Each structure stands twice: as structure tokens, then as C-alpha cells.
Amino acid sequence: MEKLYVVKIGGNVIDDENLLHSFLKEFAAIPGKKILVHGGGKVASELGKKLGIEPKMVDGRRITDAETLDVVVMVYAGLLNKKVVAQLQANSCDAIGLSGADGNCITAEKRKIKDIDYGFVGDILAEKINTEFFKNLLLKNITPVMSPIMHDGSGQLLNTNADTVASALAIALTKLYEVQLIYCFEKRGVLKDVDDENSLIAQITKSEYDVLKRDGVVSKGMIPKLDNAFDAIEKGVKSVVIGDAKFLKSMIEQNENAATKLVA
């Protein structure tokens, strides 16, 4: 089975122009088939403030009302997505920027209201991922660059968690490829002490993760990322690695202690 790398790049790397530039150079050099999923960073919050729209967050997740949705669509699917695509083209990587609506590639449904009304936030429908669309792009050596903006199939755009987009895509494409899922952000990986880069946990099993979560070692922002990662492993993704965007090559080669590797 042919290899496919699904790489997710976090907001903090998107915010740092130099870091993003060197990451994209390294990403473009990955041989073979690859998909890049990117988050939003601080740009949407900053633009929203300029327009008089204060960001509303609950546990690191954005509440997306109608005004905020307009801002995140402009920033995530427009400004950031095209900046990333343009830099990949400059590095000889033929790329295409996408939202879930493009090519009807990923459909989501508006999140149901439980304790919190997240507004126009989408939960991906796994059975509505258009794997044939991605396969056709990859066959032509075109690298899809996914923004975290999905649609519901009835004309409504939805803001979606980028970690979940990466995980859902990786799972859906296991039918066609041997998938390696890589989460890149600004830390070395999962740390025992968030302030100590030398406290890297090199490997975590599902049962170890449950203990880390129970003991409060894993911070709030990391929990959705790890939940998605273990879900991906359970559903057939070959391997999941979480680490520093600066060491993408080492993460792909799975060099020891380069990042945190998650195992079933």
C-alpha cells in the first residue's frame, strides 16, 4: 500500500512567519503523497477585534456566532490558506487550497447544543468524506491544503477543529493508503512538565494516556489533539506522531526522542 502523510500544522506556527516559512520548505520536500491541514492562529481574533468582534472562547474552543463565522471563513479559507499555498508553490510543491465545500470534499453537521452553544461549529460526518476526490488530486501529484472550514451540504459554512479535520481525513484515507498522521506545533511533543522541553514523553499507549489525563499531566488544549490521535490509531491509521514543527523530517523518519509517538 502506498504511503500518505497527513500533516496538521498548529496555530502558533501559522502566527510566526519565519517558522511557517521553514516548515513549509520542509513539508514541500516530503517525498510522495501528502496532505496539509492547517489551523487558524491568532489572525482571526486580531481581525475580529479590528472589526469590533471580541473573540469568545470556552476551554480553548471558539464560539462561532454569525459575525465570527464571516471572519474565520475570510481568514482560514482565504488569507491563511492562500498564503500557505503560495509558499508551497514557491517551493516546487503543486498545491491546492480547499475548504470542505470545495469539490464537496468534507461535509459536517452543526454541533448540537448540550451544555454550550458553540454556534456555527461543525462536527465532521465521517461517511461524507469524499475520498475519491482526494485520491484524484493525489494521483496528479497535487497536494491538498485543507482549511478548517466545512459545509453542511445545504449551503451553510461551519467552523471546525483542525485537529479533528486531520484525524478524520487520515482515518477515511486508510482504505486507500498506509497513513501516517503528524501533528506539528511549537512544543517537542507531549511533556510531563509543560514548561520543561526536556520532559518529553517519547511514547504513549492508550492506557498511559488515560492515566496522564486523570492525573492532570495533559493540559486542556492537548486533550482534543490526543483524543483525535488515539481515535485515528483505533480506526486503522498506521502511526501518529506529535511534535515540534521545526523537526518535521525527524518526525517523518520517526527518530527516537524526536517527538511523542502514540501507540495502540
Side-chain angles (χ1 to χ4, degrees):
M1 223 180 205
E2 201 173 1
K3 267 194 173 180
L4 169 69
Y5 299 100
V6 176
V7 181
K8 190 265 172 175
I9 185 76
N12 290 338
V13 180
I14 291 264
D15 294 330
D16 186 323
E17 214 157 290
N18 293 329
L19 207 53
L20 181 62
H21 183 77
S22 53
F23 166 81
L24 290 173
K25 199 171 185 175
E26 208 157 284
F27 176 82
I30 297 172
K33 294 179 169 35
K34 51 192 179 281
I35 295 174
L36 184 62
V37 179
H38 65 80
K42 295 175 190 152
V43 184
S45 298
E46 285 163 6
L47 179 62
K49 283 175 186 173
K50 284 178 189 169
L51 296 170
I53 304 160
E54 280 297 318
K56 301 180 214 54
M57 311 289 275
V58 176
D59 289 341
R61 298 209 171 199
R62 191 184 295 273
I63 305 287
T64 308
D65 57 20
E67 281 185 321
T68 304
L69 180 67
D70 285 349
V71 174
V72 296
V73 170
M74 283 190 283
V75 173
Y76 299 170
L79 180 67
L80 293 178
N81 189 265
K82 297 312 160 205
K83 274 187 171 179
V84 167
V85 170
Q87 283 199 43
L88 288 175
Q89 300 292 9
N91 284 293
S92 306
C93 173
D94 195 4
I96 186 166
L98 301 168
S99 72
D102 296 300
N104 194 27
C105 62
I106 306 179
T107 308
E109 62 180 357
K110 190 170 179 285
R111 184 168 297 165
K112 291 172 176 63
I113 300 168
K114 291 177 187 167
D115 303 333
I116 299 157
D117 182 358
Y118 283 98
F120 292 100
V121 165
D123 291 319
I124 289 171
L125 298 167
E127 69 281 4
K128 293 282 186 81
I129 294 177
N130 188 346
T131 52
E132 204 59 29
F133 175 79
F134 287 102
K135 180 186 165 188
N136 288 335
L137 289 175
L138 293 165
L139 272 172
K140 294 180 174 75
N141 293 317
I142 296 170
T143 296
V145 178
M146 283 302 311
S147 67
I149 300 297
M150 302 299 120
H151 77 135
D152 69 353
S154 302
Q156 180 62 56
L157 293 171
L158 297 164
N159 185 16
T160 309
N161 179 278
D163 288 337
T164 313
V165 176
S167 169
L169 251 182
I171 292 164
L173 290 164
T174 54
K175 299 184 197 88
L176 303 170
Y177 304 97
E178 183 187 294
V179 183
Q180 185 175 339
L181 175 59
I182 301 167
Y183 286 107
C184 292
F185 67 146
E186 73 286 356
K187 300 274 184 194
R188 277 190 68 200
V190 182
L191 307 173
K192 280 180 191 157
D193 175 357
V194 77
D195 298 316
D196 180 7
E197 287 287 324
N198 295 315
S199 65
L200 176 76
I201 307 170
Q203 190 167 292
I204 304 176
T205 63
K206 180 69 170 72
S207 55
E208 285 166 346
Y209 169 52
D210 292 337
V211 173
L212 291 170
K213 200 158 49 166
R214 189 195 67 208
D215 295 348
V217 175
V218 176
S219 64
K220 278 181 186 171
M222 188 60 93
I223 289 171
K225 201 182 294 290
L226 289 169
D227 284 347
N228 281 314
F230 278 110
D231 186 46
I233 288 169
E234 281 164 19
K235 289 175 179 167
V237 171
K238 185 79 174 169
S239 74
V240 183
V241 185
I242 296 176
D244 192 327
K246 291 197 286 286
F247 305 114
L248 178 61
K249 191 168 183 283
S250 298
M251 289 160 73
I252 280 170
E253 291 166 357
Q254 297 198 14
N255 294 344
E256 216 172 315
N257 295 325
T260 299
K261 186 178 180 186
L262 307 182
V263 291

